[in-house]
Amino acid sequence: VDTSDHADEVARSGRFGPVVRRRYEWDLTYTTAQYLEVLQTYSGHRALSPEAREGLLECIAGLIDTRYGGRITKRYLTELRVSRSV
């Protein structure tokens, strides 16, 4: 996850005031099927051969179903940076 700070670049432009940064962490719970749908959007998973991808998803589904009762929670980070023009 790229959380690099671009505040210096914004300040050097001379066009904006100070950068205000806010970070929001939040959790989202998925069923096994929902989480598998999310995983199929990841470019690394999409690049796998169909057989490899299917095998990976079957293994993950098995773990979620047997170890986590068919639900898994994923933590997300949303970062907001704003600055007013001067």
Side-chain angles (χ1 to χ4, degrees):
V1 174
D2 179 15
T3 58
S4 59
D5 191 354
H6 299 286
D8 290 339
E9 183 178 348
V10 171
R12 281 193 305 272
S13 77
R15 296 176 184 237
F16 301 95
V19 174
V20 176
R21 179 175 141 185
R22 300 251 189 327
R23 293 169 58 105
Y24 302 94
E25 292 184 19
W26 48 286
D27 296 333
L28 186 56
T29 300
Y30 296 97
T31 65
T32 301
Q34 290 169 331
Y35 192 63
L36 295 181
E37 287 179 12
V38 169
L39 292 180
Q40 292 180 68
T41 68
Y42 294 177
S43 60
H45 296 160
R46 295 175 62 88
L48 294 171
S49 70
E51 298 82 17
R53 185 173 45 253
E54 185 63 30
L56 174 66
L57 295 176
E58 284 178 13
C59 288
I60 292 171
L63 285 171
I64 295 171
D65 288 340
T66 60
R67 291 192 185 174
Y68 301 102
R71 299 180 84 65
I72 191 165
T73 301
K74 181 172 176 153
R75 173 153 290 190
Y76 289 93
L77 170 65
T78 301
E79 191 169 82
L80 171 67
R81 297 174 192 201
V82 294
S83 182
R84 293 180 184 235
S85 61
V86 291

